[in-house]
Amino acid sequence: MEQLYGYIEKIVYSNYENGFTVARLKEPRKYDLTCIVGTMPGIQPGETVSCSGNWKVDPVHGGQFQVKEYHTAAPSTVVGIEKYLASGLIRGIGPVYAKKIVKAFGADALDIIEDSPERLLGVPGIGPKRVDTIREHWNEQKAVRDVMVFLQSYGVSPIYAQKIYRKYGEDCIEKVNTNPYLLARDIRGIGFQTADTIAKNMDIPHDSAHRIEAGIEHVLSELSSNGHVCYPVDDFVVRAAEILGVDEQAIRFQIGLLEKEQRIVTGHMPYGGDNIAFIWLKGLHVAESGVSNHVTRIRYAPTMLRNIDITKAVEWVEGELSFDLASHQKDAVAQAMTSKVQIITGGPGTGKSTITKAILMIYQKLTDDILLAAPTGRAAKRLEEITGAKASTIHSLLEYDFSIMGFKKNHSNPLNCDLLIVDEASMIDTTLMYHLLKSVPDRARVIFVGDINQLPSIGPGNVLKDMILSMKIPTTTLTEIFRQAAGSHIVTNAHRINMGVLPELNTSHDSDFFFIEKFRPEDVLSTIVGLITKRLPKRYGLSPLNDIQVLTPMKRGIIGTENLNIALQKIMNPRGHGISRGGKDFLVGDKIMQIRNNYNKEVFNGDIGQIKDVDTAEQHVIVEFDGKDIEYTFAELDELLHAYAVSVHKYQGSECPCIIMPVHTTHYKMLCRNLLYTGVTRGKKLVVLVGTTKALSTAVRNDDVKQRHTGLLHALS
């Protein structure tokens, strides 16, 4: 192998997930820069590098030095030190302060930061607060680099180094060495497989108790991510034994120990005509049992509101709304006056919004203590528009407290309400429904509004459907499409899809529903790009960023979310300033989505925003969500995905003026009726499907909804 030596002039590309880096190396006494490529996690401009490898000629990029081994040292030249400090490595130091620090201390700058950071106070513009920030992040980066090197030796991505250090502090390497499977439990983003890779490279036996224990929880977590709250024990044992490559008896033995430790729960329920054993993660069992218990509590607790003449109330609200309610709508309103817990379900155009508004208007004459909520910010905003009353997200309503890692509102500190109306209730998973119901006071009435034909919640459970099937909760199912909605092809085609009938495709030029046939995925992609950037803005005056949303069934492939986002970012935001993380460029102006609940920031899974600023000196990104600026450190960017195109699942509860959706046989695995129905019903004014009639027909015919194992129906019965 050949040897190269010099300092890093520039980082051309760096994949934060796997450490693959393309960099320009300045060798001594050479004018031209050398291109070096290889796995070099955390390498920074200005660092001195000694590397071993071989030369290779790339057909596109020309000569490159393929790095096999490398060693870095802190830069020693003034030029190198300035580049190193200007790279954004140390929070508090960007290009401006890098220049000032090097001007003040020259080649001694790094030694000053290391040994005497208080001397930085002599640099113009640097105060005590910035010095503290620089000191903290300098020490953290040294420790993180050690963790990065340690992880790399076990074949693990450097992306996790900072998270591990922040969780365990200076003891992180010792913790990982003792039981690497702790990572799967404690570090978000590190699953069992990553921990297992470390353990394998550490020669930990594959049948160790630590591994089997972590593996059981891993398999249960994977099942919950597919919607299951519980799972038949016998099927689970077979599945876990196969995944872990261990004996079934070892799985059963460890299940017994985990149950004694109260980390899992087993119990019997009717299934397939038999009474069989099921297994739950402890938290999901608590949540599911809690939903059942609190529904029962609320149903039978007395209300504090006075009785009213329902007939007169209906007549009054019809006068206020200036139209007559249909008979089933009147029944739903009457039910809301007498039942403590009620469900109203139906598709688009069936009058859910009208009933919600009517019920609210009547209750506003009885009490001021009314709360409205929805699972997402956009759904809450839409509820406000419908009713004219304030609505909150469920998470905001329950007041998550980061210091206690839980909600402030609960059974001992309940919500102050006589009526709680919850919209888009089909989106609520078991855990969130548990926290919501236990915060409802005994006196309150609760009304759930939703469409059970949409996709079920992203999280585990099928709560709304199970509550309806239990027949313990009064339910109004709306089927009639009202005259105004019947004029919309979006509405009529949504109902056709729901009934298993192909939507009407021969629509007129003034329709709100279009199908464009394209056979090749490449043509679907180019059509979508053309629609967003030219045709739809020109014809309808739509904003490509704010008024149009691409929904797609899958992540991978030419017309999956990943490739669509790359293509659309290139066209819609080509010159944004930003930062590269995880192989993705986060640029100012990008449309992005939050992909997990972050209670501390008060942003939640599915929230869509726009990047307003990227600050390499402070190492943060500012994202605007509904007029509110939220700060993310670079280490937190794994909570964000680009949202030029998003999955149908992720967009539940949201609406957009225009929805574009590819429907193609390359997404065969995901082509099903409720997914297509959910996507179509997200469009408020315009829906455009692009793909093949074969794929569309497949989706409409496929009503094979994957069964979710839950215990709620049994608990409620």
Side-chain angles (χ1 to χ4, degrees):
M1 287 194 296
E2 296 186 52
Q3 309 289 321
L4 289 185
Y5 175 83
Y7 71 84
I8 302 296
E9 173 72 26
K10 181 182 179 183
I11 302 294
V12 178
Y13 171 81
S14 180
N15 187 320
Y16 197 52
E17 288 183 2
N18 58 24
F20 179 78
T21 303
V22 180
R24 305 291 186 205
L25 184 73
K26 179 69 174 74
E27 297 179 83
R29 296 180 297 280
K30 280 193 177 182
Y31 178 76
D32 292 330
L33 300 176
T34 302
C35 178
I36 62 173
V37 301
T39 303
M40 297 174 281
I43 200 167
Q44 296 295 325
E47 285 187 318
T48 299
V49 179
S50 174
C51 48
S52 306
N54 301 296
W55 286 97
K56 182 182 177 181
V57 178
D58 185 274
V60 177
H61 302 290
Q64 298 177 333
F65 189 79
Q66 303 278 331
V67 177
K68 302 297 182 185
E69 296 178 5
Y70 76 102
H71 300 282
T72 64
S76 55
T77 67
V78 170
V79 173
I81 291 170
E82 185 176 333
K83 287 183 180 295
Y84 183 71
L85 293 176
S87 68
L89 177 69
I90 309 300
R91 189 171 182 181
I93 304 178
V96 173
Y97 283 112
K99 188 178 287 293
K100 289 182 178 181
I101 291 169
V102 170
K103 184 179 179 181
F105 303 112
D108 296 328
L110 297 184
D111 292 334
I112 297 295
I113 296 172
E114 171 79 32
D115 302 320
S116 309
E118 66 278 357
R119 291 180 62 185
L120 295 173
L121 291 169
V123 176
I126 295 183
K129 188 175 179 181
R130 189 173 292 272
V131 168
D132 289 343
T133 299
I134 292 169
R135 180 193 289 113
E136 179 187 343
H137 282 265
W138 177 264
N139 292 333
E140 182 179 305
Q141 281 302 318
K142 287 198 302 178
V144 168
R145 179 65 71 88
D146 290 340
V147 178
M148 207 176 277
V149 172
F150 168 74
L151 289 175
Q152 193 187 12
S153 68
Y154 291 116
V156 180
S157 167
I159 194 173
Y160 303 119
Q162 202 164 37
K163 291 184 178 182
I164 293 170
Y165 177 78
R166 288 182 175 172
K167 176 66 180 179
Y168 300 132
E170 294 179 358
D171 299 330
C172 60
I173 292 177
E174 184 184 344
K175 282 246 187 201
V176 175
N177 270 319
T178 304
N179 181 9
Y181 294 102
L182 289 173
L183 296 173
R185 191 186 306 168
D186 295 340
I187 309 298
R188 186 187 290 274
I190 297 184
F192 173 80
Q193 291 175 343
T194 301
D196 206 33
T197 300
I198 300 175
K200 185 178 180 180
N201 290 332
M202 293 171 66
D203 295 323
I204 292 175
H206 85 288
D207 59 351
S208 74
H210 284 319
R211 182 174 185 270
I212 297 173
E213 171 188 287
I216 288 170
E217 292 182 321
H218 160 68
V219 176
L220 283 171
S221 294
E222 285 291 298
L223 289 167
S224 73
S225 69
N226 290 323
H228 301 288
V229 178
C230 55
Y231 211 74
V233 169
D234 289 345
D235 293 344
F236 174 82
V237 168
V238 172
R239 189 184 187 106
E242 185 178 337
I243 290 172
L244 299 177
V246 299
D247 186 77
E248 289 182 15
Q249 196 55 44
I251 300 291
R252 291 186 184 276
F253 178 77
Q254 205 62 46
I255 285 174
L257 293 181
L258 286 170
E259 191 163 24
K260 285 180 181 177
E261 294 175 15
Q262 297 188 344
R263 284 163 57 185
I264 63 169
V265 175
T266 63
H268 285 75
M269 292 190 306
Y271 181 71
D274 296 315
N275 198 43
I276 69 169
F278 280 79
I279 183 172
W280 291 257
L281 284 168
K282 176 65 181 297
L284 286 176
H285 186 267
V286 168
E288 195 167 61
S289 303
V291 170
S292 174
N293 293 336
H294 287 294
V295 164
T296 303
R297 168 181 64 81
I298 298 164
R299 280 177 62 205
Y300 293 108
T303 181
M304 305 294 289
L305 297 177
R306 63 183 174 85
N307 293 323
I308 61 170
D309 187 316
I310 295 172
T311 303
K312 288 183 178 178
V314 169
E315 290 174 356
W316 171 82
V317 83
E318 285 179 325
E320 291 294 309
L321 294 171
S322 299
F323 65 83
D324 295 336
L325 298 174
S327 61
H328 61 275
Q329 291 182 312
K330 292 179 181 179
D331 292 341
V333 173
Q335 194 71 67
M337 300 297 116
T338 55
S339 298
K340 289 293 299 304
V341 184
Q342 181 191 11
I343 296 170
I344 299 171
T345 183
T350 57
K352 295 194 301 296
S353 298
T354 301
I355 293 176
T356 302
K357 189 173 181 179
I359 291 170
L360 180 63
M361 290 172 69
I362 294 171
Y363 267 100
Q364 285 172 334
K365 296 295 181 180
L366 301 175
T367 178
D368 293 327
D369 296 330
I370 299 173
L371 296 174
L372 280 69
T376 67
R378 292 197 168 200
K381 186 176 283 187
R382 192 173 71 252
L383 186 56
E384 284 187 351
E385 292 167 357
I386 291 167
T387 62
K390 184 180 183 306
S392 309
T393 65
I394 296 172
H395 299 90
S396 299
L397 194 71
L398 301 181
E399 300 178 21
Y400 189 86
D401 187 343
F402 196 74
S403 64
I404 62 172
M405 302 295 284
F407 294 108
K408 288 183 181 178
K409 295 297 181 182
N410 49 47
H411 192 46
S412 58
N413 181 32
L415 298 165
N416 179 29
C417 63
D418 292 314
L419 174 68
L420 170 65
I421 298 177
V422 185
D423 200 13
E424 294 287 357
S426 63
M427 291 182 63
I428 307 174
D429 64 28
T430 302
T431 302
L432 185 57
M433 184 65 84
Y434 166 59
H435 287 293
L436 176 63
L437 288 173
K438 76 175 181 178
S439 73
V440 175
D442 289 355
R443 74 178 194 271
R445 288 189 167 114
V446 184
I447 300 173
F448 295 106
V449 184
D451 184 352
I452 59 166
N453 292 310
Q454 290 186 26
L455 291 167
S457 59
I458 296 172
N462 208 344
V463 182
L464 188 67
K465 193 170 185 176
D466 282 347
M467 289 197 304
I468 292 171
L469 290 175
S470 75
M471 301 180 67
K472 299 293 184 182
I473 300 170
T475 299
T476 301
T477 302
L478 309 176
T479 56
E480 182 184 349
I481 303 174
F482 288 92
R483 188 167 47 195
Q484 186 177 357
S488 163
H489 282 98
I490 295 175
V491 172
T492 56
N493 278 336
H495 284 273
R496 287 172 70 95
I497 291 166
N498 193 39
M499 293 185 292
V501 179
L502 200 67
E504 176 60 54
L505 303 182
N506 297 319
T507 53
S508 61
H509 72 279
D510 59 347
S511 174
D512 58 2
F513 185 101
F514 296 95
F515 175 77
I516 302 174
E517 184 127 39
K518 297 291 176 182
F519 295 97
R520 298 168 65 242
E522 295 84 356
D523 294 336
V524 174
L525 174 62
S526 62
T527 300
I528 289 173
V529 170
L531 284 166
I532 293 173
T533 57
K534 295 177 182 176
R535 293 171 64 181
L536 296 181
K538 184 179 179 180
R539 181 171 176 182
Y540 298 98
L542 297 171
S543 162
L545 199 67
N546 301 316
D547 297 333
I548 304 173
Q549 182 61 59
V550 179
L551 302 182
T552 185
M554 294 185 72
K555 184 178 178 182
R556 310 289 184 193
I558 294 173
I559 46 178
T561 55
E562 289 184 344
N563 194 60
L564 277 166
N565 274 310
I566 292 169
L568 291 169
Q569 183 191 45
K570 216 175 270 184
I571 297 293
M572 297 171 66
N573 192 26
R575 298 185 184 87
H577 156 72
I579 183 76
S580 183
R581 282 293 185 271
K584 299 180 180 69
D585 294 326
F586 291 90
L587 310 177
V588 173
D590 272 345
K591 185 177 182 179
I592 56 87
M593 172 180 278
Q594 178 77 16
I595 60 169
R596 64 177 70 107
N597 293 334
N598 188 319
Y599 301 105
N600 191 36
K601 299 182 189 296
E602 295 187 347
V603 287
F604 305 102
N605 191 358
D607 286 353
I608 289 179
Q610 188 175 10
I611 296 177
K612 293 298 184 183
D613 184 46
V614 177
D615 191 324
T616 54
E618 297 299 322
Q619 293 191 338
H620 70 220
V621 172
I622 304 297
V623 182
E624 181 188 341
F625 292 98
D626 290 326
K628 187 168 64 173
D629 289 347
I630 305 295
E631 180 182 314
Y632 292 79
T633 66
F634 286 177
E636 295 173 321
L637 291 178
D638 63 340
E639 295 187 14
L640 303 176
L641 282 181
H642 291 93
Y644 299 101
V646 299
S647 71
V648 180
H649 287 82
K650 287 289 187 185
Y651 207 67
Q652 286 176 260
S654 297
E655 286 185 339
C656 192
C658 175
I659 293 294
I660 300 175
M661 189 173 173
V663 185
H664 197 270
T665 49
T666 52
H667 295 157
Y668 184 80
K669 285 184 181 178
M670 297 296 293
L671 291 175
C672 59
R673 189 183 301 173
N674 64 347
L675 185 140
L676 180 62
Y677 173 82
T678 302
V680 167
T681 56
R682 300 307 88 202
K684 289 167 59 177
K685 297 178 180 179
L686 186 66
V687 170
V688 184
L689 306 182
V690 186
T692 66
T693 50
K694 182 181 178 181
L696 188 61
S697 179
T698 299
V700 171
R701 287 198 314 269
N702 182 13
D703 195 29
D704 183 21
V705 179
K706 290 182 180 177
Q707 182 187 6
R708 293 187 168 195
H709 290 294
T710 73
L712 182 58
L713 179 58
H714 173 68
L716 287 167
S717 299

